[in-house]
Amino acid sequence: MRTFNKRIVILMLIAFNGLFAAVSPDFPMAGWAVSGNTTGGAGYGEVTVSNVTDLKSYAKAGNKVIYVKAGTYAGQIDVGSNVTLYGYPGAIITQPNGQSAIKISGVSNVIIRNFIVKGIGAVDIDANDCVQINSSATKIWIDHLDIYDGQDGNLDIVNASDYVTISWTKFSYTSASSDHQFSNLIGNSDSKTTDSGHLRVTLHHNWWADGVKERMPRVRFGRVHVANNLFDTKTSSSCVRAGYKADLRVENNVFIGVKKPIDLYEGDYTAVSVSGNYFEGTSGNTSGNKTAFTPSYNMPLTDVSNPAKAYALRDSIKNFAGATLPAPGTVYSSSSVIPSSSSFVSSSSSLPPSSSSVISSSSSAIVSSSSIEVTEAAILEKHGSGSSNQTVVAGESIASFYYTWVNAFGVTVEGLPLGVSYVLDEEKKNVYIEGTVESSTPAGDYTFTVTTVGNPITNAVKSGTIKVTSTTSIESSYFKTSGFQITPKIIQSEASITFNLKKQGLVSLSIIDLSGREVFSKKWNASTGMNQMIVNSSSFTAGVYYVQLKTPASESIQKIVIR
């Protein structure tokens, strides 16, 4: 049995407030709100408010662009027609008992962007939603909100409301919610036949995160387009539910670890078209039935057909969904985006062989385990499609997987073969294990262990074995690539990309950004032996990218950071 004496210690880094927050680009409106010619308060006067009295007064009066300073504002905020509400970073609207935080009812032409909307906790008492779109409200754009713990739902669209787009919004529930964690309802009754021909809704680049159980969304009657969203809540019982007369188009979404991604329910829908989605670790139905409507608008969609592209969209949504827009008047530039530390990759082969190597950041504060209250034993759980016990040919990629830790300060990882990388997701307390085994790695069993640290009661340990072989089929070895390396992986000016080809053949190299867009590609006949390509980072904006190398017999993916 062969192991390496390298010990990678990963400590959970608790950043100062806002330190690693990504500032979102100002993505344009898309979907049904565009078809409705939604403009909000554009063309009317502008006002900046810093107290709830002024906010309520201007919002209800309508015909205004209203900028809302940072602070907490107690709802209900009734919104009139021809209104844009735009929050400064840190603007929070709270839900009062029995009412909504934001109510858009019987009005037209409303844009609401960049707020945290805090509910009072979900309970099953038929109360009001955090955000309510009701009574034939039309031409509505909801963008970059962080909505959680709605008393009834987080955001519902009902009673013949129409031409609505919900984008870049995060939906979740916390421990304040005890029941009815059902996020989004579109159409609230089978008997509301007046909804027919209305409820045209687009949901794109939204994130259904932890705590959400159902209704992501649940649809009756509407023509609803669900595209390029992220579903990764750990508490799901179903995701997209097709109710009575629902006409649903579900495409190019990322479903990770959820139950029943596509819920055909009682089968009385109009149509459910399902295409181009990425499913990983899901259970339950993933198929549609019949052909749904074709949107009247053009909306470019990100391809999520393989893990690299799906993870790119996932990371983009996690970075930018929620109240992540800059202050009004801020000119966006790529330098204003600070990638979260979960996007950085370090390779076990690139660290010095020290038992105390620590992945850290000079701009982060390391919190000692004594400052974390732990009253139960630590837990480690494995997730992902890759097995913790697998066989891989030297020079090829492993099937990736990850562990989640609970009740611990961090984890240690030991024994990974050269070239296998880890990715730390501090927010979700995950350690992802992925990468390409170096071609020079000797054949053998590489037993690794993942161990929690800092728990005063009992730490948890998980282990597995990556068996590395040096033989493969004649066909594969004929074109075999090995030694796929990118140096350095955190790039200041330029990087060297190298790989070894057993026989001359056509290869392609692509660089993909976090939105899944291919920003660079090249195809050429590579030579037998070692090949090298220099990439100059000056033509790229700062951020996280995936590099994909394809040969006639294999495909490898690695992650880089350009600064």
Side-chain angles (χ1 to χ4, degrees):
M1 185 173 294
R2 184 186 306 272
T3 61
F4 282 90
N5 63 356
K6 296 181 179 180
R7 177 182 175 89
I8 305 167
V9 181
I10 306 171
L11 296 180
M12 184 178 177
L13 304 178
I14 308 298
F16 292 116
N17 185 33
L19 186 64
F20 286 113
V23 179
S24 176
D26 191 359
F27 299 111
M29 185 192 306
W32 280 117
V34 173
S35 294
N37 192 30
T38 304
T39 57
Y44 296 91
E46 297 182 356
V47 66
T48 299
V49 301
S50 58
N51 64 76
V52 72
T53 300
D54 288 346
L55 173 58
K56 288 184 175 181
S57 176
Y58 282 114
K60 188 171 184 178
N63 302 327
K64 194 75 71 177
V65 174
I66 305 165
Y67 299 114
V68 183
K69 287 286 192 175
T72 300
Y73 300 81
Q76 170 172 294
I77 309 300
D78 294 294
V79 183
S81 293
N82 307 314
V83 166
T84 296
L85 286 178
Y86 188 110
Y88 278 74
I92 303 169
I93 299 176
T94 60
Q95 179 185 24
N97 188 27
Q99 293 183 290
S100 294
I102 301 172
K103 184 177 181 180
I104 306 167
S105 182
V107 298
S108 178
N109 198 26
V110 172
I111 295 173
I112 299 181
R113 309 182 74 193
N114 209 44
F115 290 93
I116 297 170
V117 187
K118 179 183 178 182
I120 63 174
V123 289
D124 193 6
I125 59 172
D126 196 24
N128 280 293
D129 313 301
C130 235
V131 178
Q132 176 187 158
I133 302 174
N134 200 348
S135 301
S136 300
T138 186
K139 301 197 294 184
I140 313 295
W141 183 27
I142 305 296
D143 180 61
H144 280 92
L145 300 193
D146 183 347
I147 308 174
Y148 64 98
D149 287 334
Q151 191 172 20
D152 183 59
N154 279 327
L155 184 155
D156 286 4
I157 305 165
V158 297
N159 294 322
S161 295
D162 213 356
Y163 290 110
V164 179
T165 293
I166 313 296
S167 58
W168 295 100
T169 291
K170 179 182 178 182
F171 300 104
S172 62
Y173 292 91
T174 72
S175 58
S177 296
S178 59
D179 194 8
H180 201 74
Q181 290 148 255
F182 304 157
S183 190
N184 308 107
L185 187 64
I186 301 175
N188 60 353
S189 174
D190 291 1
S191 65
K192 294 282 182 69
T193 56
T194 52
D195 283 343
S196 183
H198 303 287
L199 299 179
R200 283 169 282 199
V201 180
T202 302
L203 299 108
H204 71 87
H205 292 92
N206 301 296
W207 179 14
W208 283 275
D210 285 349
V212 182
K213 292 184 178 179
E214 294 183 12
R215 300 183 185 176
M216 307 177 226
R218 175 179 178 174
V219 179
R220 297 179 177 94
F221 291 106
R223 279 175 279 176
V224 177
H225 191 189
V226 181
N228 274 163
N229 299 284
L230 172 63
F231 304 78
D232 71 348
T233 171
K234 296 185 183 71
T235 51
S236 63
S237 55
S238 69
C239 295
V240 182
R241 173 173 285 182
Y244 184 67
K245 299 292 185 181
D247 194 357
L248 268 165
R249 189 179 189 91
V250 184
E251 54 185 346
N252 292 48
N253 300 283
V254 176
F255 297 88
I256 298 177
V258 293
K259 297 177 182 177
K260 202 178 292 184
I262 311 297
D263 184 0
L264 299 181
Y265 199 41
E266 296 177 344
D268 52 4
Y269 49 82
T270 296
V272 182
S273 290
V274 176
S275 64
N277 299 287
Y278 177 82
F279 301 98
E280 178 183 302
T282 62
S283 61
N285 183 58
T286 58
S287 301
N289 187 31
K290 304 179 184 178
T291 302
F293 73 99
T294 299
S296 61
Y297 51 83
N298 293 318
M299 186 173 76
L301 297 181
T302 298
D303 179 12
V304 294
S305 58
N306 63 42
K309 294 178 179 179
Y311 294 166
L313 180 64
R314 175 200 66 187
D315 293 347
S316 179
I317 291 174
K318 285 187 175 184
N319 277 330
F320 298 143
T324 62
L325 290 171
T330 300
V331 177
Y332 172 79
S333 68
S334 61
S335 62
S336 66
V337 178
I338 306 173
S340 68
S341 56
S342 63
S343 300
F344 288 86
V345 178
S346 296
S347 170
S348 60
S349 62
S350 63
L351 294 173
S354 167
S355 61
S356 59
S357 300
V358 178
I359 312 303
S360 64
S361 167
S362 60
S363 57
S364 300
I366 299 179
V367 179
S368 70
S369 59
S370 61
S371 66
I372 299 176
E373 183 178 354
V374 176
T375 59
E376 298 178 353
I379 299 172
L380 268 177
E381 293 184 346
K382 182 201 164 287
H383 305 277
S385 57
S387 172
S388 58
N389 296 291
Q390 57 180 280
T391 299
V392 62
V393 176
E396 292 189 352
S397 300
I398 69 166
S400 61
F401 54 95
Y402 66 98
Y403 291 90
T404 300
W405 75 84
V406 179
N407 300 329
F409 181 65
V411 296
T412 65
V413 179
E414 300 178 80
L416 295 174
L418 291 172
V420 176
S421 304
Y422 65 86
V423 179
L424 173 64
D425 185 335
E426 298 167 357
E427 180 183 354
K428 299 181 77 66
K429 298 183 180 179
N430 291 342
V431 174
Y432 297 85
I433 296 177
E434 58 189 27
T436 302
V437 178
E438 286 193 4
S439 59
S440 58
T441 303
D445 294 340
Y446 293 81
T447 297
F448 66 90
T449 59
V450 181
T451 308
T452 63
V453 296
N455 185 291
I457 302 171
T458 304
N459 280 300
V461 180
K462 295 285 186 180
S463 63
T465 300
I466 299 175
K467 182 181 179 65
V468 178
T469 66
S470 58
T471 59
T472 186
S473 67
I474 295 175
E475 177 184 5
S476 177
S477 62
Y478 194 59
F479 289 100
K480 180 84 176 69
T481 55
S482 61
F484 176 34
Q485 294 290 323
I486 304 174
T487 307
K489 286 184 177 175
I490 299 179
I491 303 167
Q492 301 283 358
S493 58
E494 65 179 26
S496 170
I497 300 175
T498 59
F499 62 94
N500 199 344
L501 200 64
K502 288 288 185 74
K503 180 176 173 62
Q504 177 181 338
L506 181 67
V507 301
S508 66
L509 186 139
S510 301
I511 300 178
I512 302 166
D513 68 14
L514 281 179
S515 70
R517 183 171 60 95
E518 187 177 68
V519 297
F520 174 86
S521 65
K522 180 178 180 179
K523 291 184 179 180
W524 75 101
N525 280 307
S527 305
T528 302
M530 185 61 69
N531 291 263
Q532 181 182 38
M533 179 178 180
I534 302 297
V535 175
N536 192 313
S537 65
S538 63
S539 59
F540 298 88
T541 57
V544 181
Y545 297 84
Y546 289 89
V547 180
Q548 183 179 55
L549 177 70
K550 291 183 178 180
T551 74
S554 66
E555 176 179 336
S556 299
I557 300 169
Q558 294 195 30
K559 192 183 290 184
I560 60 172
V561 177
I562 294 178
R563 290 181 170 174

